[in-house]
Amino acid sequence: MTSDITLFVNPTAGRGRGARAAGPAARVLREAGHPVRTVLGHDADDALRRAREAVAAGTGALVAVGGDGMVSLALQAVAGTGTPLGIIAAGTGNDFARSLGLPVGDPAAAARVVARTLTATGGRAVDLGLIDRGPATPARWYGTVLASGFDSRVNDRGNRMRIPAGRFKYDLAILAELAAFRPVPYRLTLDDGRVVETEATLVAVGNSTSYGGGMRICADARTDDGLLDVTVVGDCDRTTLIKVLPRVYKGTHLSHPKVATHRVRALTLDAPGTTGYADGEPLGPLPLTVTCAPGALRLLAPPPEPHPRTTPSASRR
């Protein structure tokens, strides 16, 4: 039995790696016996419309070729539908693929995972985050991390910078934001009714572990537990922040005394003058409410490896 596959391609991802990845991926999928069609778009809205049309027409799988932004766009088309999603990671950060143990930078290997999983099991269920910013704005799905505070200001600045390209641009944006850094007052309303009011450098809400190309800000997050991991970096000075930031790449920052964590099913987040980002894409200003949607995505990926996790300093299980 074979299923048709729709390749959902961002040709500009990873400075052209998305376009280059589509060919080897399509070849592997066709060799495995799957008819393949390709969906592009004139812009993000047009691409999403075409992806939704493919899902509504009954495609056997939607396969996103690109980075986390393209995967995020694909989520808006497949979440909650039962149509499985495959990922050919060909962007700059590729955090969702990394967190799920999928090949990165090897489109043929990633396509073999898609073909093998689609034939063998049809994929596995994973959680997603669902963001609600009020009745005037459509809800949005995300797979990696919702960022707010220092990290979202870095994104804001990086997006305004024309040069340099790639991750180095965001390294420069971090340095620039450190010079202007100020903690802001946050109000977090947890799903058990508790309200946490705190001065914080940033608050990140993770469905999976990392953002920014491997920064493990929510290092203990899992995509199969029905919960979101919340990391709160408290009111710390620049010197402390500079010491904490390198630890984020290994996930060892969670034990720092200025870091608190929560594990929740839902959270309302508010802070003045603060933008939210999810999967690296801007959401607009806070407040917003985010909820974990267990098993909302059918993912073409191998079973997860055992994942040891620590107990949050303040948790909701």
Side-chain angles (χ1 to χ4, degrees), residues 5-303:
I5 290 177
T6 302
L7 282 186
F8 189 40
V9 182
N10 179 0
T12 65
R15 303 177 72 179
R17 286 194 295 272
R20 294 192 294 273
R27 183 167 57 252
V28 167
L29 294 170
R30 289 191 177 107
E31 288 173 352
H34 298 283
V36 176
R37 65 184 290 261
T38 300
V39 167
L40 300 171
H42 300 298
D43 53 30
D45 289 341
D46 183 52
L48 178 56
R49 178 184 62 79
R50 293 168 185 259
R52 284 175 167 158
E53 287 175 351
V55 170
T59 186
L62 186 70
V63 178
V65 184
D68 287 319
M70 195 61 175
V71 173
S72 184
L73 198 60
L75 293 180
Q76 314 314 311
V78 301
T81 67
T83 299
L85 175 70
I87 300 175
I88 310 296
T92 301
N94 305 306
D95 285 284
F96 199 38
R98 292 179 197 277
S99 71
L100 295 162
L102 294 171
V104 172
D106 188 339
R112 284 192 289 271
V113 170
V114 168
R116 184 167 58 247
T117 309
L118 185 59
T119 300
T121 66
R124 61 183 173 93
V126 300
D127 305 339
L128 293 175
L130 183 60
I131 301 159
D132 181 359
R133 293 202 296 117
T137 305
R140 184 173 183 87
W141 302 94
Y142 77 97
T144 57
V145 176
L146 189 159
S148 70
F150 179 79
D151 43 8
S152 63
R153 291 196 293 273
V154 168
N155 259 314
D156 284 339
R157 184 180 290 270
N159 290 341
R160 294 194 301 269
M161 296 169 64
R162 295 182 179 273
I163 55 174
R167 288 183 56 184
F168 187 54
K169 174 171 67 174
Y170 291 94
D171 292 338
L172 291 181
I174 287 173
L175 294 176
E177 282 300 323
L178 280 170
F181 162 71
R182 294 287 187 281
V184 296
Y186 275 85
R187 179 182 175 90
L188 284 66
T189 305
L190 308 185
D191 57 345
D192 62 359
R194 282 182 296 153
V195 175
V196 178
E197 295 186 338
T198 183
E199 293 280 328
T201 301
L202 65 87
V203 176
V205 186
N207 177 61
S208 57
T209 56
S210 67
Y211 59 10
M215 299 181 73
R216 295 174 56 81
I217 188 69
C218 298
D220 288 336
R222 293 174 50 171
T223 58
D224 59 359
D225 64 354
L227 298 169
L228 300 166
D229 278 33
V230 184
T231 300
V232 181
V233 178
D235 181 1
C236 54
D237 56 30
R238 290 186 186 87
T239 301
T240 302
L241 185 57
I242 289 169
K243 290 179 180 178
V244 170
L245 280 175
R247 295 176 58 174
V248 175
Y249 286 95
K250 294 183 177 180
T252 57
H253 63 292
L254 297 182
S255 63
H256 193 279
K258 286 290 186 179
V259 177
T261 58
H262 308 269
R263 201 163 282 147
V264 301
R265 294 180 178 85
L267 170 77
T268 298
L269 186 62
D270 197 6
T274 301
T275 301
Y277 278 76
D279 292 335
E281 301 298 311
L283 300 170
L286 304 184
L288 57 80
T289 297
V290 57
T291 304
C292 183
L297 175 66
R298 194 78 183 164
L299 182 74
L300 296 174

